[in-house]
Amino acid sequence: MMARPYCVVVALLLLAEVSMLGEGAPNPGFVARITRKGLEYARQYGMATLKKELSNVNLPDLSGSFKAGWMGSVRYECRRLRIRNFQLRNSDLRLHPSQGVTASLSNNYMSVSGNWKVEKGFVTLQGTFVLSVDGISISISLNLGKDQSGRPTASVTHCSNSIGHVSIDISGQLSWLLNLFHATIESKLKNILTQKICEMVRRSTTSHLEPYLRTLPVTLEIDQIAGIDYSLVGAPQVTSRVLDTPFKGKFFGLRQHSPVPFKSPSIQLPWEHDRMAYFAVSQYAFNTASQVYHQAGLMNFTIRNEHVQNLTMLMGNHSAEEWRKPHCQTSEATSFITMMSCFSSSLLLPLMQFPLDFPIYMHTTSLGAVIPQLARLYPNMEIELELSPESAPFLTFTPGNVTLVPVMNIEAFALLPNTSDRSPLFQLRARTNISATISVSSGKIFGSLSPGSKLDLELKHSHIGFFNVGLMESIFNYYAPYLVYPSLNAKLKAGFPLPLPRDTYLNSLQLQIHQNFVLIKADID
């Protein structure tokens, strides 16, 4: 069977020549790069595979007759031919733009053993022989294409081989007789080997490489909501050192395919070639994922009373202590409203220094210190908050950093007693900077979010009259890390896979953040 590591690299190479869309092709969301080091890795495993395949070639029996002087016509047979030794001395694997992949082997050696038998009338003589074949050269060219599903295909368009020298060593009774006609036997065995070598190469491509290429993903289902499109989008960029292959790298909804309202930015890979493979994942890929999950409503959150009932664990940590401290601006340029907000914080927050096990409820009475009219208009009623982004939040990649600036709508409702009805209270618009951390492991990309700056609140609409949102900012800045981020990070923890063939594993992984994309450096197992 074809060695898996060889298939992995060759499969990536073959992808490069499949899709030639020419000018105007969109920027990819994902780029795979194979370097010379990757090619060398493929060559080593490919030669080991070829050696194994050639060693298992079944050679047919050989028979014929020759004239032996006064003895007349003598019939001979060469049976149980087996390749005992195959030495690969020189090999090369090259990529030719617009032509495909070529492999060449030269000055190789093979030995074949077998049994011989000579029959003349009622006389039968037999023995063994060893055929030495030296100076074997093989040249193989692979033609590249794709099937209807968009997966790559490979077929052998050219295979030629030549054999420099053949010699046979015959042993057994009257072996001298067969030695008289060794040239005829050597010639026939040489022709058989010449035919069988290319037969083996074509059969190996059909039975091993082509099925393996069909395991390369064109689309992958991530979960019940989204899938990712890994089809090719354009021609590869081939140089003497690297080969870059562009993939679409776009998330799509499984139930609804909506057009993407933005384009993928260009990816300028650094000129590196010390690793076997490089994978560049554009911010486009992450942002199409954000769009899909936003459209599916998975970025909407509802915060109810039960979510904040138990603050014993939360209030005991450092962030809670920081929240309880008033933060005032002392600049002379501070506006009057901001100074009043700071004054209110300094006055009211000390009054809210509850014991650590003191239960806090989301109801109008608890928030009366922040919004005085709330307790008067809706006395002792529970409050429910609905959070939803105004639009899908998009990641921005800059060297060394990944950030996003989501804009959230927060709508508050009073839960009317003895009914399922709700009364709208107010709407807030929230802005903040969020820091994203991206990691890679086992062929998957993972992420996590953490606050990059404090939440900035703006009163968008109120059914209960104006109120100062400064104190609300303090409350939301405390609750967000515990109620919103865990839900988002639970989704990001699942990750999404790289487009790798079956049973392919990466090692020595390194990750770097560049302009518009994240770069993953890896070697291949």
Side-chain angles (χ1 to χ4, degrees):
M1 184 174 182
M2 182 165 282
R4 177 180 53 78
Y6 168 68
C7 285
V8 171
V9 181
V10 171
L12 292 174
L13 291 175
L14 294 176
L15 283 173
E17 299 292 336
V18 172
S19 181
M20 299 291 186
L21 299 184
E23 297 295 332
N27 290 326
F30 180 89
V31 176
R33 166 173 287 183
I34 299 298
T35 66
R36 275 187 172 180
K37 188 175 181 181
L39 281 174
E40 175 61 20
Y41 183 75
R43 185 196 65 80
Q44 293 177 6
Y45 276 92
M47 295 308 104
T49 299
L50 185 59
K51 179 178 179 180
K52 181 179 178 180
E53 292 286 329
L54 287 172
S55 298
N56 294 327
V57 169
N58 293 320
L59 300 176
D61 293 342
L62 181 64
S63 62
S65 60
F66 59 87
K67 290 184 178 181
W70 60 270
M71 294 178 62
S73 179
V74 177
R75 181 172 177 78
Y76 69 90
E77 292 183 4
C78 295
R79 299 181 301 167
R80 298 179 182 175
L81 277 64
R82 295 290 184 270
I83 298 176
R84 298 302 183 187
N85 185 19
F86 196 99
Q87 298 179 11
L88 293 173
R89 295 169 178 166
N90 300 310
S91 61
D92 188 26
L93 183 65
R94 291 179 179 269
L95 179 70
H96 296 279
S98 303
Q99 295 180 13
V101 180
T102 62
S104 59
L105 304 91
S106 60
N107 196 29
N108 302 291
Y109 171 82
M110 176 193 299
S111 65
V112 179
S113 64
N115 298 333
W116 65 266
K117 182 172 70 172
V118 172
E119 295 178 338
K120 177 62 178 177
F122 297 101
V123 179
T124 299
L125 302 173
Q126 56 187 1
T128 61
F129 71 89
V130 176
L131 182 74
S132 297
V133 185
D134 208 350
I136 301 174
S137 296
I138 306 172
S139 177
I140 306 165
S141 296
L142 294 176
N143 184 36
L144 312 171
K146 65 178 179 180
D147 58 21
Q148 293 181 349
S149 67
R151 289 186 175 89
T153 60
S155 59
V156 177
T157 56
H158 171 77
C159 179
S160 62
N161 62 87
S162 60
I163 296 176
H165 177 70
V166 176
S167 62
I168 187 168
D169 182 19
I170 302 173
S171 62
Q173 294 179 340
L174 296 180
S175 59
W176 59 268
L177 182 62
L178 205 58
N179 272 320
L180 294 175
F181 301 92
H182 68 87
T184 300
I185 297 174
E186 290 172 358
S187 177
K188 289 188 176 182
L189 288 173
K190 180 178 179 180
N191 290 335
I192 290 174
L193 288 173
T194 301
Q195 177 184 357
K196 286 295 181 180
I197 288 174
C198 281
E199 283 184 5
M200 181 279 303
V201 170
R202 296 179 188 277
R203 183 175 64 253
S204 181
T205 301
T206 302
S207 60
H208 298 312
L209 182 55
E210 286 187 354
Y212 191 76
L213 288 175
R214 287 195 288 270
T215 70
L216 286 164
V218 174
T219 60
L220 285 174
E221 187 173 313
I222 305 302
D223 50 29
Q224 296 180 343
I225 303 298
I228 186 168
D229 185 346
Y230 277 129
S231 59
L232 302 174
V233 298
Q237 300 296 318
V238 181
T239 71
S240 61
R241 295 194 176 196
V242 299
L243 173 128
D244 296 336
T245 305
F247 300 82
K248 184 173 290 186
K250 183 190 79 170
F251 278 77
F252 60 89
L254 297 180
R255 297 182 180 178
Q256 178 182 2
H257 287 251
S258 300
V260 178
F262 51 88
K263 295 182 179 181
S264 177
S266 62
I267 295 178
Q268 300 295 329
L269 273 74
W271 190 247
E272 296 185 20
H273 43 79
D274 58 328
R275 306 295 291 275
M276 292 182 185
Y278 293 80
F279 302 94
V281 186
S282 170
Q283 63 188 38
Y284 171 84
F286 295 94
N287 291 338
T288 56
S290 178
Q291 183 192 28
V292 169
Y293 289 111
H294 173 256
Q295 290 178 341
L298 294 189
M299 294 185 178
N300 301 335
F301 303 93
T302 299
I303 300 178
R304 299 185 177 90
N305 190 44
E306 57 265 26
H307 296 149
V308 292
Q309 285 265 330
N310 186 9
L311 293 183
T312 301
M313 177 179 67
L314 305 181
M315 300 270 304
N317 60 31
H318 175 73
S319 62
E321 297 298 328
E322 290 296 317
W323 171 72
R324 290 160 125 174
K325 298 176 183 178
H327 297 276
C328 300
Q329 298 181 6
T330 58
S331 169
E332 295 180 358
T334 302
S335 66
F336 174 77
I337 294 178
T338 304
M339 287 192 296
M340 290 302 297
S341 173
C342 178
F343 173 77
S344 300
S345 298
S346 302
L347 176 66
L348 293 176
L349 285 178
L351 299 177
M352 300 176 68
Q353 303 295 304
F354 306 111
L356 294 180
D357 58 352
F358 190 87
I360 303 297
Y361 296 96
M362 277 189 57
H363 55 60
T364 55
T365 302
S366 296
L367 292 181
V370 179
I371 309 175
Q373 65 268 39
L374 189 60
R376 184 181 73 253
L377 296 173
Y378 296 92
N380 200 28
M381 296 184 190
E382 289 189 5
I383 293 176
E384 186 174 271
L385 299 178
E386 289 187 354
L387 286 74
S388 60
E390 286 191 350
S391 60
F394 291 155
L395 292 170
T396 300
F397 288 58
T398 56
N401 295 287
V402 181
T403 58
L404 67 157
V405 186
V407 179
M408 301 286 293
N409 287 324
I410 304 173
E411 189 166 5
F413 298 89
L415 304 184
L416 303 180
N418 303 320
T419 180
S420 59
D421 293 340
R422 304 183 304 176
S423 180
L425 301 175
F426 54 84
Q427 290 182 337
L428 303 174
R429 178 181 286 116
R431 292 182 175 86
T432 187
N433 289 324
I434 296 177
S435 296
T437 300
I438 298 176
S439 59
V440 60
S441 176
S442 302
K444 272 192 170 185
I445 298 178
F446 305 91
S448 63
L449 303 176
S450 60
S453 66
K454 290 186 177 296
L455 204 66
D456 180 23
L457 286 184
E458 169 193 351
L459 183 61
K460 189 175 179 180
H461 180 73
S462 176
H463 296 275
I464 59 175
F466 176 80
F467 61 90
N468 189 353
V469 298
L471 297 179
M472 293 291 292
E473 284 184 359
S474 299
I475 296 175
F476 276 102
N477 278 313
Y478 172 70
Y479 281 117
Y482 304 105
L483 299 178
V484 177
Y485 288 96
S487 299
L488 292 172
N489 287 334
K491 184 63 188 174
L492 294 173
K493 187 178 180 180
F496 68 89
L498 297 171
L500 299 176
R502 181 193 61 211
D503 299 330
T504 302
Y505 304 98
L506 305 176
N507 63 34
S508 304
L509 294 164
Q510 288 184 336
L511 188 145
Q512 291 179 346
I513 307 299
H514 291 261
Q515 187 70 34
N516 300 330
F517 70 94
V518 56
L519 181 66
I520 301 167
K521 310 176 184 182
D523 291 326
I524 301 173
D525 280 339

